[in-house]
Amino acid sequence: MADLQDELHTTAEVGELDPERLDEFEPLVSEAVAGVTSRVGDERANSTGAGAGAGADTGADTGAEADVVAGAGAGAGGDPLARAHVLLAAHPVADGYSGIAWALRHLSWYDLELGDNSVDTDVPRLREGHVGAMFWSLHLPEGLVGERAVGATLEQLDLVKTVVEAHPEGLRLAHSAAQATDAVNCGRVAVLLGPAGAAALDDSLGILRSLHALGLRVLTLSGASWAGERGLTRFGEEVVREMNRVGVLADLSGASDATVRRALVISKAPVMCTRSAARALRPHPANLPDDVLVQLGAAKGLCLVPLTAEQTGPTVRDVADHLDHVRELAGPECVGLSGTYDSGAAHPRDLPDASGYPRLVAELLGRGWSETDLAQLTWGNVQRVLRTVDFTARAAQLRREPSTARIAELDG
C-alpha cells in the first residue's frame, strides 16, 4: 500500500526557464502554488482521516486552508491546545534543526518507529507533535578539518540514509519542497539533509557540488578560513554564488556578524538561520541583533527560532517572546521553528522533545497570532524558501557555468 501511495503522489519537476523571461515566471509560479494549496485545503477539509501524520502544503497565500482551520478551531470549543492540534494537523511543523544523526552514532540499537527513550526524537513523538519535516544536521565536532571533515560528513550522509531506509513507515528522504509535501501526504516525516559545516567542503567547490548531488541542501557559513570573524573572503563570496547556482541554502547561525551581513548582500537566494533567536531579548552570540533581523526580512530570508533554554529561555513564554520579536522585525513570512533536539542543549519546560509543539502553538494562539501567520510559521515559510532556492538555482544555471575557482587564486 505504501508503494501505491508513493506512485499516486509523485510530483513533476519544473521545466527549463528562459533567462530573459524570469520576471514573468515568478507571478505565474506564485499563482500556481496558491491554486494547488487551495485544492489541497479543500481535500483536507473533506477528509476525516487526516491526522498527525498528514499535512497540507502551504505558502504565503493560503486563504482557503486558513478558512478550513478557522472553522475547525471554532469547532474545538475555543480551547487553545485543541485548536493548536487542529491547526497543526493541516499545517505540520517543518523543524529547522535536529541533531538526531550524531546522537544515533553512539547507540548500538534503536527503533525510531516504535519509540526510543534514549533520544529526544522518534516517530511516535514526531506524530504527537505534528512534525511533518525535519532538517537533520550533519555538523561535526570541532577540530575536524580537511579530508577528515569531508570523510566524516560523507559518513553522516550515509548514516542518515541508512536510518531513513530502516524506518520506511515513518521517515522519507526529501530534497525539495514538493518531495517534503509528498512525504507528509503519504503519512511520513520528510527528512532533509543539512546543515553541514563549511569545513566539509575542504575549500573545494567541486566537493560542494558533489555533496549537493548526494542530497545536501544546507551549509553553515562558519568554521572555515573563507568565512571568519572578518566576514567572507573573495573565495567565500564565490562559495555563496556557487551555492546559489546549485541550490544549497546558506545557514548563517553561528557565523560572525560580518559574515552574516555580507552573505545577505551577496546571496541571490534566501538565506536561513537554522538556530537563531533575538539578541535583544537574550544576548547569545548565535542570536541576531535587531538590524540584522530587519535586513533578513528585507531579503526574504528565514530565522528559525530554537527551542533551547540557553538561546530563548526556560519557558514556553520565553520562546513565544522571541517569536513575537522576530515576527515584528523580520515579518511573519520570515520566522520559523527549530527544535534543536538531540543536539545536547537543554530545552524549555513543557518543550522537552518533539512532541511539545502543540503547547507552543497554543501559547501563540493565546497571544492573538492569526491562523494564517501560524500556518506560515510552522510549514509555509520553509516551503517558500525551499521553492525559491530551487527557482533561483535553475535561473542561475542558465546564466553561469560551474565555478572552477580555487581559494589560492582568490585569497592567496
Side-chain angles (χ1 to χ4, degrees), residues 17-371:
L17 302 176
D18 183 345
E20 301 300 325
R21 301 181 60 207
L22 293 176
D23 292 340
E24 300 176 24
F25 280 108
E26 294 188 13
L28 293 176
V29 171
S30 298
E31 181 179 349
V33 170
V36 171
T37 55
S38 177
R39 290 195 299 274
V40 172
D42 291 340
E43 291 172 5
R44 294 289 177 192
N46 293 328
S47 171
T48 58
D57 187 13
T58 151
D61 300 317
T62 53
E65 288 183 85
D67 291 342
V68 170
V69 176
D79 173 50
L81 186 58
R83 289 174 61 203
H85 279 285
V86 171
L87 185 141
L88 287 170
H91 308 282
V93 172
D95 188 324
Y97 190 96
S98 172
I100 184 67
W102 189 260
L104 293 177
R105 288 173 64 100
H106 306 290
L107 300 180
S108 58
W109 185 92
Y110 50 84
D111 190 326
L112 299 183
E113 285 181 356
L114 286 179
D116 200 314
N117 290 330
S118 56
V119 290
D120 299 332
T121 307
D122 55 34
V123 174
R125 282 179 284 183
L126 290 172
R127 297 201 188 285
E128 185 180 349
H130 302 279
V131 176
M134 305 177 73
F135 288 86
W136 282 24
S137 166
L138 304 176
H139 282 156
L140 305 171
E142 292 185 9
L144 288 180
V145 295
E147 293 180 357
R148 292 181 63 203
V150 177
T153 300
L154 291 174
E155 290 177 354
Q156 286 282 85
L157 278 166
D158 179 68
L159 173 65
V160 173
K161 292 184 177 183
T162 300
V163 171
V164 172
E165 289 173 0
H167 300 85
E169 296 303 314
L171 306 174
R172 180 186 293 180
L173 279 175
H175 298 148
S176 66
Q179 290 180 7
T181 298
D182 222 25
V184 171
N185 288 339
C186 291
R188 312 301 196 275
V189 177
V191 174
L192 296 111
L193 295 171
L201 302 190
D202 194 21
D203 301 336
S204 168
L205 297 178
I207 292 177
L208 169 65
R209 290 187 286 270
S210 297
L211 289 173
H212 174 267
L214 292 172
L216 180 69
R217 289 300 178 266
V218 188
L219 182 77
T220 302
L221 301 186
S222 66
S225 62
W226 44 266
E229 290 301 316
R230 295 184 178 180
L232 294 172
T233 66
R234 291 177 61 197
F235 182 76
E237 293 180 357
E238 188 68 6
V239 171
V240 173
R241 294 187 187 99
E242 192 64 9
M243 290 169 67
N244 287 173
R245 197 193 70 82
V246 300
V248 174
L249 276 159
D251 170 27
L252 303 182
S253 286
S256 68
D257 287 354
T259 295
V260 170
R261 289 182 169 88
R262 188 58 182 161
L264 283 167
V265 172
I266 291 294
S267 182
K268 301 300 182 183
V271 300
M272 187 161 68
C273 299
T274 60
R275 295 149 296 137
S276 293
R279 193 176 295 179
L281 301 184
R282 205 166 185 89
H284 189 279
N287 290 347
L288 302 178
D290 285 356
D291 66 312
V292 172
L293 286 172
V294 172
Q295 191 178 0
L296 183 70
K300 299 302 179 186
L302 186 57
C303 178
L304 300 169
V305 174
L307 310 187
T308 66
E310 183 180 8
Q311 284 186 253
T312 53
T315 70
V316 174
R317 292 185 60 83
D318 292 324
V319 178
D321 288 343
H322 283 268
L323 291 169
D324 282 339
H325 193 85
V326 174
R327 181 180 66 153
E328 180 181 355
L329 294 180
E333 70 279 8
C334 298
V335 59
L337 298 171
S338 179
T340 57
Y341 293 114
D342 293 298
S343 65
H347 299 281
R349 293 187 294 275
D350 295 326
L351 299 174
D353 54 47
S355 68
Y357 281 108
R359 289 187 283 275
L360 176 58
V361 171
E363 171 68 23
L364 297 175
L365 283 167
R367 294 179 178 221
W369 280 54
S370 71
E371 274 131 1

